[in-house]
Amino acid sequence: LQFLYKAPSCKVFFSHDPIKIVRAKGQYMYDENGNQYLDCINNVAHVGHSHPIVVKAGAKQMELLNTNSRFLHDNLVQYAQRLQATLPEKLSVCYFVNSGSEANDLALRLAWQYTGHKDIITLENAYHGHVSSLINISPYKFHQLSNAEQSKSVHVALSPDVYRGIYKKDHPDPATAYADDVKNLIHKAHENGHKIAAFIAESLQSCGGQVIPPAGYFQKVAQHVHKAGGLFIADEVQVGFGRVGTHFWAFQLQGEDFVPDIVTMGKPIGNGHPISCVVTTREIAEAFRNSGMEYFNTFGGNPVSCAIGLAVLDVIEKEDLQGNALRVGRYLMQLLEQLKEKHPLVGDIRGCGLFVGVELVRDRVKLTPATAECQDIIYKLKEQHILLSADGPHRNVLKLKPPMCFSEEDVDLVVEKIDQILTGTLKTLCVCLKSSRNHIFVFIIQNAFSIHFDAYLFVCRC
Amino acid sequence: LQFLYKAPSCKVFFSHDPIKIVRAKGQYMYDENGNQYLDCINNVAHVGHSHPIVVKAGAKQMELLNTNSRFLHDNLVQYAQRLQATLPEKLSVCYFVNSGSEANDLALRLAWQYTGHKDIITLENAYHGHVSSLINISPYKFHQLSNAEQSKSVHVALSPDVYRGIYKKDHPDPATAYADDVKNLIHKAHENGHKIAAFIAESLQSCGGQVIPPAGYFQKVAQHVHKAGGLFIADEVQVGFGRVGTHFWAFQLQGEDFVPDIVTMGKPIGNGHPISCVVTTREIAEAFRNSGMEYFNTFGGNPVSCAIGLAVLDVIEKEDLQGNALRVGRYLMQLLEQLKEKHPLVGDIRGCGLFVGVELVRDRVKLTPATAECQDIIYKLKEQHILLSADGPHRNVLKLKPPMCFSEEDVDLVVEKIDQILTGTLKTLCVCLKSSRNHIFVFIIQNAFSIHFDAYLFVCRC
């Protein structure tokens, strides 16, 4: 019935056999039959599903007042102050909006207005939101279009991926090499009479495949972009609010000396409540005002959204969730590294705190993406009541970004299950191999695997 | 302090002496000193501020589950069904998003994808939202820019305003005349090799000056637009959900034979909670899916937003708020007509239900906008604890769009106060006239009036 009224372009997880979740608490979700699922996907439920402190703050403020920001309200001021305190000093002006998409669109408007330039540099496989201006700068999306046509004012830079990209871990200086690609793009744009308004990137690419850029890359990019008169926009929609463990913001992983010109926030900011924020410098905000155009957002910064945002910050602090992300994230990485030793399908393990990617490949030299295997694992984990998803340009990266209250016991469970599935998969394959080639094909089809020659050889060796 | 952290482009009401509202109930708001204000502005608090049924529905669902639409949930299906039941049958597919801006941007994306065309026809003084694609089609906004540059794929049609527009009430057929302007625009666009994707209009122009298009206009526009292969988008963000009294949707005022291709909803839909919706036909939704691009919105259609949306529909029904809008709106129009008889400054009274405009002019023939007078009235009403705002291209239209529980007693109060202010203003002016010309100037400055010669003459006669 959901499909009858809901738009057909909107996809659910596990579309062949979707789950009907009726309640959730912490890192657990429950279906209509009372089955418990371990949630390793929902970075939106940042401090845990239905957190009582957040729920209470929202309910209490809803009872009192929920109106637009045409009136003064303490919540708005307090929340802006609290957010500002987590950021470098020069990032001091907040615009409150309703979604990551609204935030990134506003960031572009700020950059266009401040610089007077039009062009945007974005990364390969980037996703920045669903409104039309952001589809234009999201290769992850516009490559899905059958009639894809890249805007002439959008330039796509190499993703700073040291596993699958051109410059790998063994490169002497991948940060400089990838930043030089941005420099070259700027150079080409200038030759064609184009001018750069901004470079935009997630501080860690999420949909793009859980990519962690080499430290120092952002500083070098910022140098090139600033020289061209453009701004640096750090998209923290998926990765901010302590998830990376060592820092509150993921861009801080690049080093203390890096400060973006604009930071956008979203998903985790309201633990599911629609709120988001753009923070920038006074200079850029003044230039935007001087355009003569007022900015008004009906719901943005309303007292309920701000009360919820404040409660989320409170819980992160009180429950030391950033510390938890660091500790549990490190433990998760340890266990995953062991998995990598054991299973050749596991090509790369990368992560910061509770933002982790497991890239599956059929061949560790050629890096052939194990896309079907990845889908298979996700479906099998679902049968075990563990919710995980896959992403990246080849959909071969297991993506872990659970609620921040995720525990070491949860880590034990999910890694154990992945281990079992990987082991089981190989065993089945080996059994099949012992009969006939035809049988393998039968198996392949049944499991929705599309095993290529590389993988076939590998299985033979095991 | 709000200004220190909040972006300078965001304006509050009564910026010289803003109000700090701490709670609100029904049609009343309360400041930090306990003063009660009658709210005639907030169409977002549709069923009344902090309505207990809506608050309870939101709080209850927040306790249970608030997650994205990657999982099945009954609230989403029920809410889509309930909304669909208020609309003509062919409008059967819902996309849930977070704001009117997200809704209108998605409507454009649907139109672009379905038609394969690029150009949009919009109305003079139109406002459709704050994301960049909508600034492009909002003359109300892009005319504010010092470096305004109209996109070549945007065509601005005459606002179907029978008071201040080219074709007035005395025109034999203003609906056809204004629709012919759209026809001509299409013709010109075609001559220049452009193709029309959509015509977009608020069913009643709100920021544009509370303009009520003549019945039959939309049908004729739709004919021309469909002939050009384009779609008709009805923006109900400000005016939907029973506000017009006689109908649930404002586009229905045009006649039973009119059905838009896409309807966008916003502000009142969640009584302040960030939610909005795009409804369209299955055919258009299928074409959008066939583009190959998934549509995903993190917060859109989450169980909390849908629970709140359902509660708002419940309250509209249970408390017969559409009926109330009709009755109280008619009473308001009656009293305002009497005001028009009495005060020459009142040029036009127009309205449907609780969507009412009072256009102030210094000269009823020349229609010279009484902009400063309008501002003065609003500030004086604020001193009397009545919240009203002014809009329209000349900011000379008093805009009434109160919560739908507005009562006849509220009408008595607001009209009485406007009457007193209008009378008082004239008396003070007459007293001043009796002394010297210099004195008038003093008075004028004190009251932030900028009285022109027309008004001056009129005052002399009184």
Side-chain angles (χ1 to χ4, degrees):
Chain A
L1 198 58
Q2 183 147 347
F3 302 100
L4 193 63
Y5 292 95
K6 212 183 117 188
S9 310
C10 307
K11 290 187 184 136
V12 293
F13 284 129
F14 315 111
S15 50
H16 305 302
D17 182 21
I19 311 173
K20 187 168 170 181
I21 296 292
V22 294
R23 64 187 182 90
K25 204 86 197 168
Q27 63 272 48
Y28 305 106
M29 303 185 94
Y30 301 88
D31 71 12
E32 50 191 336
N33 301 316
N35 295 311
Q36 177 180 290
Y37 291 79
L38 175 62
D39 181 1
C40 312
I41 306 176
N42 283 296
N43 58 342
V44 176
H46 193 65
V47 301
H49 288 281
S50 313
H51 195 291
I53 293 179
V54 178
V55 170
K56 201 178 157 191
K60 199 178 144 201
Q61 186 57 51
M62 278 169 77
E63 272 176 31
L64 273 180
L65 175 69
N66 187 12
T67 189
N68 61 42
S69 54
R70 295 286 194 194
F71 305 98
L72 304 180
H73 200 281
D74 287 344
N75 288 6
L76 180 70
V77 180
Q78 283 167 17
Y79 190 38
Q81 284 175 320
R82 285 280 294 277
L83 281 179
Q84 205 277 314
T86 67
L87 286 159
E89 212 180 326
K90 78 166 200 175
L91 294 166
S92 61
V93 181
C94 299
Y95 297 83
F96 290 108
V97 294
N98 305 301
S99 65
S101 291
E102 286 194 0
N104 281 331
D105 181 88
L106 178 56
L108 296 185
R109 288 185 58 199
L110 290 168
W112 286 324
Q113 187 61 40
Y114 178 77
T115 64
H117 301 170
K118 274 282 146 227
D119 288 28
I120 305 291
I121 302 175
T122 186
L123 293 180
E124 285 178 309
N125 314 316
Y127 175 61
H128 294 292
H130 55 70
V131 302
S132 46
S133 61
L134 303 175
I135 299 291
N136 285 342
I137 61 162
S138 297
Y140 179 82
K141 295 300 276 188
F142 69 63
H143 284 163
Q144 287 176 17
L145 278 179
S146 39
N147 55 352
E149 191 190 312
Q150 192 181 315
S151 160
K152 280 174 189 133
S153 58
V154 175
H155 312 277
V156 180
L158 292 174
S159 169
D161 177 350
V162 293
Y163 179 68
R164 183 174 287 282
I166 298 177
Y167 312 114
K168 296 196 164 50
K169 280 169 198 163
D170 56 1
H171 187 280
D173 186 1
T176 302
Y178 281 117
D180 280 348
D181 179 59
V182 174
K183 189 171 79 176
N184 294 339
L185 274 181
I186 294 173
H187 185 68
K188 273 186 215 158
H190 284 177
E191 278 184 345
N192 295 320
H194 288 244
K195 287 176 174 173
I196 306 300
F199 169 89
I200 183 168
E202 285 188 279
S203 299
L204 308 171
Q205 262 196 322
S206 45
C207 296
Q210 306 288 93
V211 175
I212 296 161
Y217 169 68
F218 280 2
Q219 287 89 325
K220 291 185 171 69
V221 168
Q223 264 181 352
H224 302 316
V225 172
H226 286 154
K227 204 177 154 197
L231 298 179
F232 192 113
I233 303 169
D235 177 341
E236 292 270 342
V237 169
Q238 298 242 28
V239 294
F241 292 93
R243 175 162 296 277
V244 298
T246 49
H247 300 81
F248 198 78
W249 301 106
F251 72 78
Q252 294 169 324
L253 291 167
Q254 292 279 314
E256 290 299 317
D257 56 330
F258 175 67
V259 181
D261 302 299
I262 300 174
V263 174
T264 59
M265 305 167 188
K267 296 190 192 293
I269 186 169
N271 216 45
H273 183 84
I275 170 169
S276 62
C277 185
V278 180
V279 186
T280 190
T281 65
R282 184 138 293 273
E283 198 187 351
I284 294 168
E286 293 288 353
F288 191 57
R289 177 175 60 182
N290 295 341
S291 72
M293 196 191 287
E294 182 195 346
Y295 183 79
F296 178 66
N297 188 307
T298 298
F299 304 126
N302 71 66
V304 173
S305 294
C306 291
I308 288 174
L310 278 164
V312 170
L313 292 179
D314 284 343
V315 176
I316 293 174
E317 216 169 280
K318 277 181 196 159
E319 301 185 3
D320 185 26
L321 292 179
Q322 185 180 325
N324 189 64
L326 184 65
R327 287 183 296 274
V328 177
R330 277 186 181 153
Y331 182 64
L332 173 61
M333 289 290 284
Q334 274 172 25
L335 297 204
L336 289 173
E337 285 294 347
Q338 292 169 16
L339 214 64
K340 187 178 156 190
E341 298 296 313
K342 202 170 156 189
H343 300 287
L345 200 69
V346 178
D348 191 38
I349 302 292
R350 49 187 181 256
C352 303
L354 286 172
F355 178 88
V356 172
V358 180
E359 180 149 1
L360 304 182
V361 291
R362 289 178 191 154
D363 180 301
R364 286 190 176 178
V365 178
K366 292 184 181 167
L367 306 186
T368 322
T371 305
E373 294 85 336
C374 201
Q375 286 305 312
D376 188 65
I377 289 170
I378 282 167
Y379 266 86
K380 287 201 172 118
L381 282 172
K382 180 208 161 197
E383 286 165 19
Q384 305 275 344
H385 294 173
I386 292 173
L387 303 174
L388 207 69
S389 67
D391 223 321
H394 307 287
R395 304 258 168 193
N396 68 323
V397 182
L398 294 174
K399 195 165 75 165
L400 290 109
K401 44 173 188 129
M404 298 268 284
C405 48
F406 210 68
S407 70
E408 296 196 351
E409 292 71 35
D410 300 325
V411 168
D412 286 332
L413 180 71
V414 65
V415 177
E416 186 198 331
K417 294 296 178 193
I418 295 174
D419 187 18
Q420 283 173 5
I421 293 167
L422 285 170
T423 309
T425 299
L426 291 183
K427 274 188 191 155
T428 325
L429 275 169
C430 292
V431 168
C432 288
L433 269 177
K434 281 175 197 162
S435 44
S436 80
R437 213 164 181 175
N438 247 0
H439 268 100
I440 303 184
F441 258 114
V442 171
F443 167 77
I444 288 165
I445 291 158
Q446 279 175 347
N447 286 269
F449 266 49
S450 61
I451 292 184
H452 292 208
F453 192 62
D454 293 339
Y456 177 73
L457 277 185
F458 156 70
V459 171
C460 290
R461 283 195 299 268
C462 76
Chain B
L1 198 59
Q2 183 148 346
F3 301 101
L4 193 62
Y5 292 94
K6 213 183 115 189
S9 310
C10 308
K11 290 187 183 137
V12 294
F13 284 130
F14 315 111
S15 49
H16 305 302
D17 181 22
I19 311 174
K20 187 167 170 181
I21 296 291
V22 293
R23 64 186 182 90
K25 204 85 198 169
Q27 63 273 47
Y28 305 106
M29 303 185 95
Y30 301 88
D31 70 13
E32 51 192 335
N33 302 315
N35 295 311
Q36 177 179 291
Y37 290 79
L38 175 62
D39 181 2
C40 311
I41 305 177
N42 283 295
N43 57 342
V44 176
H46 192 65
V47 301
H49 288 280
S50 314
H51 195 291
I53 292 179
V54 178
V55 171
K56 201 178 156 191
K60 199 178 144 201
Q61 185 58 51
M62 278 169 77
E63 272 175 32
L64 273 179
L65 176 69
N66 187 13
T67 190
N68 61 42
S69 54
R70 295 285 193 195
F71 306 98
L72 303 179
H73 201 281
D74 288 344
N75 287 7
L76 179 71
V77 180
Q78 284 167 16
Y79 189 39
Q81 284 176 319
R82 286 281 295 277
L83 280 178
Q84 205 278 313
T86 67
L87 285 160
E89 211 178 327
K90 78 166 198 173
L91 294 167
S92 62
V93 181
C94 299
Y95 298 83
F96 291 107
V97 293
N98 305 302
S99 66
S101 291
E102 285 195 1
N104 281 332
D105 181 86
L106 178 56
L108 296 184
R109 289 186 57 199
L110 290 168
W112 286 324
Q113 187 61 40
Y114 178 77
T115 64
H117 300 170
K118 273 282 149 224
D119 288 29
I120 305 291
I121 302 176
T122 185
L123 293 180
E124 286 177 309
N125 314 315
Y127 175 61
H128 294 292
H130 54 71
V131 301
S132 47
S133 61
L134 303 174
I135 299 290
N136 284 343
I137 62 161
S138 297
Y140 180 81
K141 295 301 276 188
F142 69 63
H143 284 163
Q144 288 176 16
L145 278 179
S146 38
N147 55 351
E149 190 191 315
Q150 193 181 316
S151 160
K152 279 175 189 132
S153 57
V154 175
H155 312 277
V156 180
L158 293 173
S159 168
D161 176 351
V162 293
Y163 179 69
R164 183 174 287 281
I166 297 177
Y167 311 114
K168 296 192 165 54
K169 281 169 198 162
D170 56 2
H171 187 282
D173 186 2
T176 303
Y178 281 116
D180 280 349
D181 178 60
V182 174
K183 189 170 78 176
N184 294 339
L185 274 181
I186 294 172
H187 186 67
K188 273 185 214 158
H190 284 178
E191 278 184 343
N192 295 320
H194 288 244
K195 286 176 174 176
I196 306 300
F199 170 90
I200 184 168
E202 283 187 280
S203 300
L204 308 172
Q205 261 195 323
S206 45
C207 295
Q210 307 287 92
V211 174
I212 295 160
Y217 167 70
F218 280 2
Q219 287 89 325
K220 291 185 171 70
V221 168
Q223 264 181 352
H224 302 316
V225 172
H226 287 156
K227 206 177 152 198
L231 298 179
F232 192 111
I233 303 169
D235 177 343
E236 291 270 343
V237 169
Q238 298 243 26
V239 295
F241 292 92
R243 176 162 295 278
V244 299
T246 48
H247 300 81
F248 198 78
W249 300 106
F251 72 77
Q252 293 169 323
L253 291 167
Q254 292 279 315
E256 290 299 316
D257 56 330
F258 175 67
V259 180
D261 302 298
I262 301 174
V263 174
T264 59
M265 306 168 186
K267 296 189 192 294
I269 187 170
N271 216 47
H273 183 84
I275 171 170
S276 63
C277 186
V278 180
V279 187
T280 190
T281 65
R282 183 137 293 271
E283 199 187 350
I284 294 168
E286 293 287 355
F288 191 57
R289 177 175 61 180
N290 295 341
S291 72
M293 196 192 287
E294 182 195 347
Y295 183 79
F296 178 66
N297 189 308
T298 299
F299 304 125
N302 71 66
V304 174
S305 293
C306 290
I308 288 175
L310 279 163
V312 169
L313 291 179
D314 284 343
V315 176
I316 293 175
E317 216 168 279
K318 277 182 197 157
E319 299 184 3
D320 186 26
L321 292 179
Q322 185 180 325
N324 188 64
L326 185 66
R327 288 183 295 274
V328 177
R330 277 186 181 152
Y331 182 64
L332 174 60
M333 288 291 283
Q334 274 172 26
L335 296 205
L336 288 174
E337 285 293 348
Q338 291 168 16
L339 215 63
K340 187 178 158 191
E341 297 295 312
K342 205 169 154 188
H343 301 286
L345 201 69
V346 178
D348 191 37
I349 302 293
R350 48 187 182 256
C352 303
L354 285 173
F355 178 88
V356 172
V358 180
E359 179 149 1
L360 303 183
V361 291
R362 289 178 190 154
D363 181 302
R364 285 189 176 177
V365 178
K366 292 183 183 168
L367 305 186
T368 322
T371 305
E373 294 85 336
C374 201
Q375 286 306 313
D376 187 67
I377 289 169
I378 282 166
Y379 266 85
K380 288 201 171 118
L381 282 171
K382 181 210 162 196
E383 286 166 19
Q384 305 276 342
H385 294 172
I386 292 173
L387 303 174
L388 206 70
S389 68
D391 224 321
H394 307 286
R395 305 259 168 191
N396 67 324
V397 182
L398 294 173
K399 195 163 76 164
L400 290 110
K401 45 174 187 128
M404 298 268 285
C405 48
F406 211 68
S407 71
E408 296 196 352
E409 292 71 36
D410 299 326
V411 168
D412 285 333
L413 182 70
V414 65
V415 177
E416 187 198 329
K417 293 297 178 190
I418 295 175
D419 188 18
Q420 282 173 5
I421 293 166
L422 286 169
T423 309
T425 300
L426 292 183
K427 273 189 189 152
T428 325
L429 275 170
C430 292
V431 169
C432 289
L433 268 176
K434 280 176 196 160
S435 43
S436 80
R437 216 165 179 175
N438 248 2
H439 267 101
I440 303 183
F441 258 114
V442 171
F443 167 78
I444 288 165
I445 291 159
Q446 279 175 346
N447 286 271
F449 264 50
S450 61
I451 292 184
H452 291 207
F453 193 62
D454 291 340
Y456 177 73
L457 277 185
F458 158 68
V459 172
C460 290
R461 281 197 301 269
C462 78

